[in-house]
Amino acid sequence: MERTFALISLGCAKNLVNSEQMLYLMDEAGFRLVSEPEGADLVIINTCGFIDAAKSEAIDTILQMAELKRNAKLCGIIVTGCLPQRYKDSILTELPEIDAVLGVGSFGDIVAAAQAVIDGGGIARFADSSAPVDEIPRVVSTGPSWAYLRIAEGCNNFCAFCAIPYIRGRYRSRDIEAVLDEARDLAAHGVKEIIVIAQDITRYGTDRYGRRCLAELCHRLAEIDGVEWIRLHYLYPDQFDDELIDEIARNDKVVKYLDIPIQHINNNILKCMNRRGSGDDIRALFKTLRERIPGLVLRTSLIAGLPGEDEAEFEELCDFLKEARIERVGVFPFSPEEGTPAAEMPHVDSEEAQRRAGLIMELQAPIMDAFCQSFVGRTIKVLCEYFDEESQYLVGRSYADSPDIDGQVYFCGSCKEGEFAAVHITSADGGDLYGEEVKA
Ligand code: SF4
């Protein structure tokens, strides 16, 4: 009898890759994917669990599915990923509605879990979270034109506020040939944009080859026919060297968009948070990158209200942002995560952390608006992603837009989904650009 399942993928892009691997395994095993959990045999909830907000979202989702199960509109609930990994000793007691749980080292056991639940039972598997990364094929869920390429798993940086190393294990680079094979397969299926991810991609290769290999990887990715854009996310600021900067600057396929989470700029706070490098190192790096990579778009992530951040340190961060004019900024209020050193340190309350995060976004808004306005009157290359029935526009992204976190380009034209168009920008509004397709 055909069995159906739905999959809800929460959290980061790395977790989405795990979800895509489970889609592949379930499909191979003959389970049919359905879009809605209601009426399905099974729901797989691939969770995030690194900060309070993410944990609440995961628990709310589990309880919603439990409601469906109580009303006989769903047979089984399988919970995977970071939440069960972090709370492996208590999750089944706290949430008895769950039928099976898989930790971050056990995504490969999804079919066994599904079969056990179908047979009226359940399983709980937590393989070593620092074991070599499983090379499992995936069903790409991000559309025909772009896909994530996860090159490593885990993290050894142990930033004092972060629970990820305790959840995702030690840093493990994937075999570079396996990564390139996956990229070739993606390109063969029409993917034009490869988004390179890990917790820290700058460290790629150090554990496996004893040297940094990101520059080499970018060089070889660019040799793959069909790959047009290589986008780099999660670069650690003190891991840049001349080889990497030259490769980014020289390689036409590496989009001039770099995501470099810095978290803060104040020396004491960076030191307390076990972040390598100083505020001046970050300033010098950004200056060098802007000088050596024309048209560079910088993205960063910040945490407001970190332990040790009083008015003066917060002011210093705001002054830095006014000076650096970073085009893309994400900011989180500090969330003291149990089990991390920072959770034991004195810090402002969550309301104040939220207020400061709001001030940073207020400060950033005119900087990001001015950046968007700078595109008006220019003709830019846009990756067309879909036609929006509601607005009757084609919708795509420029090199300055990463999926789901930045703006989009709405334009009139005849470009096909998954193709590139030359778009003349006529206006900008709220982080999005508007224009019309022109002959390239
Ligand atoms: S680099 Fe720091 S913040 Fe990022 S995953 Fe690793 S420990 Fe967490």
Side-chain angles (χ1 to χ4, degrees), residues 154-165 199-200 236 263 275:
C155 192
N156 291 356
N157 291 328
F158 287 96
C159 303
F161 51 81
C162 183
I164 292 172
Q199 304 298 354
D200 171 0
Y236 200 102
Q263 316 300 358
R275 297 280 299 179

Side-chain angles (χ1 to χ4, degrees), residues 329-341:
V329 169
V331 58
F332 297 92
F334 174 59
S335 167
E337 288 304 315
E338 88 264 7
T340 66

